């Protein structure tokens, strides 16, 4: 099985977070207007998204700066999923954001022994994390990377070491949620340095995106984006890079093993000229395939 389309390589060798990936996608050419519109559609407390040029260990990068007040309510995964469902986002954007939040919720629930939809996501439920996930989804869609033909490959992921303060007190790095998210997904990981280099949101975004893990795939490079983290340590460049382009040739796509649900319907008296758009909309909304069979 082969396919051609957009190709993205994510270099997470210095770590990953939601704002680092968002900054890298903006730096690679995603329009900030599309990102701001998607975030604004959530209908939560006011959130402002800005991008600015910064330097990290001598390298130029784009910092995605999300300005929001503290959330007025504590939101569960169920609350966040409802927000996304009611926001009127493009189908592919909403589907990707839901996948990321479900993965985060499942991991947090496993770590804390709670139900996935009831778990309170202290960091993830905050407004800046909501903006990071939905903003990344909108940026990916604008760059053509949520198209089923697109391919995303992620490098080894630097996790960090030491400990970090959290809503649950001091936790060891990598924090339990990051390990729960990446476990069983074939992700190659390294310590990479001191401190928390990969956040749960960053791990969930990478795990949802990655079709494969490894070095740069064969591709024609169109643009490169560099996203900055908040810190600027003296020993390393705190950045995440993305390389965007097109596959040089048809590339093999690994077989996936999933439980699928088939939905059938008999439709009476629909103008045949409408069917191509209907089938395309079903695939865009997340269907693995959609087809039409005449019935007599």
């Amino acid at each position: 099985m082969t396919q051609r389309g957009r190709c993205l390589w994510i270099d997470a060798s210095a770590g990953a977070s939601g704002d680092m990936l968002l900054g890298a996608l903006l730096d690679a050419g995603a329009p900030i207007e599309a990102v701001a519109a998607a975030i604004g559609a959530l209908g939560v407390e006011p959130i402002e998204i800005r991008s600015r040029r910064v330097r990290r260990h001598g390298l130029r990068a784009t910092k995605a700066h999300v300005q929001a007040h503290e959330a007025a309510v504590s939101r569960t995964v169920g609350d966040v999923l409802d927000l996304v469902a009611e926001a009127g986002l493009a189908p592919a954007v909403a589907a990707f954001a839901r996948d990321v939040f479900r993965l985060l919720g499942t991991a947090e629930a496993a770590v804390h022994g709670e139900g996935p939809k009831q778990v309170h996501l202290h960091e993830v439920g905050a407004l800046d994390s909501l903006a990071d996930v939905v903003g990344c989804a909108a940026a990916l869609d604008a760059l053509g990377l949520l198209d089923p033909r697109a391919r995303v490959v992620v490098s080894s992921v630097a996790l960090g070491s030491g400990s970090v303060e959290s809503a649950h007190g001091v936790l060891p790095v990598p924090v339990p949620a990051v390990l729960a998210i990446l476990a069983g997904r074939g992700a190659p990981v390294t310590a990479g340095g001191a401190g928390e280099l990969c956040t749960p949101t960053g791990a969930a975004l990478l795990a949802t995106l990655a079709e494969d893990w490894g070095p740069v795939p064969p591709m024609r490079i169109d643009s490169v984006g560099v996203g900055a983290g908040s810190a600027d340590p003296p020993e390393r460049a705190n950045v995440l890079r993305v390389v965007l382009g097109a596959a040089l040739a048809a590339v093999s796509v690994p077989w996936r093993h999933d439980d699928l649900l088939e939905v059938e319907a008999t439709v009476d008296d629909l103008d045949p000229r409408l069917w191509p758009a209907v089938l395309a909309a079903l695939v865009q909304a997340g269907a693995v395939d959609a087809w039409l069979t005449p019935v007599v």
Side-chain angles (χ1 to χ4, degrees):
M1 183 171 59
T2 59
Q3 67 180 26
R4 297 175 185 269
R6 300 288 277 167
C7 191
L8 180 73
W9 181 65
I10 301 176
D11 177 10
S13 60
S17 64
D19 62 328
M20 290 171 74
L21 179 58
L22 181 55
L25 294 171
L26 291 171
D27 198 44
I32 195 170
E33 295 80 10
V35 171
I39 294 172
L42 290 171
V44 294
E45 299 88 332
I47 302 175
E48 182 184 355
I49 175 72
R50 294 183 287 110
S51 67
R52 56 189 178 90
R53 295 293 178 90
V54 297
R55 291 173 65 85
R56 292 291 182 263
H57 201 62
L59 296 181
R60 180 208 60 81
T62 292
K63 180 72 175 73
H65 182 68
V66 175
Q67 185 172 359
H69 298 290
E70 186 175 348
V73 296
S74 176
R75 294 185 171 94
T76 65
V77 176
D79 296 330
V80 172
L81 292 175
D82 289 342
L83 283 174
V84 173
E86 297 166 4
L89 301 169
V93 173
F96 178 81
R98 286 196 301 268
D99 287 346
V100 174
F101 287 126
R102 286 193 185 107
L103 179 54
L104 280 163
T106 301
E108 293 282 1
V111 167
H112 300 296
E114 299 178 350
K117 286 196 175 181
Q118 284 71 47
V119 67
H120 283 261
L121 304 182
H122 301 282
E123 287 82 8
V124 178
L127 295 177
D128 55 347
S129 294
L130 279 169
D132 287 343
V133 172
V134 173
C136 283
L140 290 161
D141 187 51
L143 294 172
L145 293 166
L146 296 185
D147 187 287
R149 295 168 297 177
R151 185 181 186 222
V152 180
V153 179
V154 181
S155 75
S156 62
V157 183
L159 302 181
S161 61
S163 62
V164 65
E165 290 280 353
S166 77
H168 300 284
V170 178
L171 292 177
V173 173
V175 296
V178 167
L179 295 179
I181 288 166
L182 297 178
R185 293 181 173 268
V189 299
T190 63
E196 184 184 29
L197 303 187
C198 183
T199 67
T201 302
L205 286 163
L206 296 183
T208 304
L209 275 170
E211 292 182 16
D212 201 359
W213 306 85
V216 182
M219 63 187 296
R220 184 190 68 244
I221 298 176
D222 294 332
S223 63
V224 177
V226 183
S230 297
D232 187 14
E235 69 276 7
R236 59 180 172 81
N238 185 25
V239 298
L240 178 146
R241 297 186 300 163
V242 298
V243 179
L244 176 65
L248 285 176
V251 294
S252 296
V253 178
W255 288 103
R256 291 176 55 187
H257 300 273
D258 292 317
D259 293 328
L260 298 179
L261 178 66
E262 184 179 67
V263 180
E264 296 182 353
T266 303
V267 180
D268 184 29
D269 195 22
L270 179 67
D271 188 334
R273 294 173 295 181
L274 299 178
W275 276 111
V278 171
L279 297 179
L282 289 172
V283 173
Q284 180 73 5
V288 176
D289 199 1
W291 64 90
L292 171 67
T293 303
V295 177
V296 178

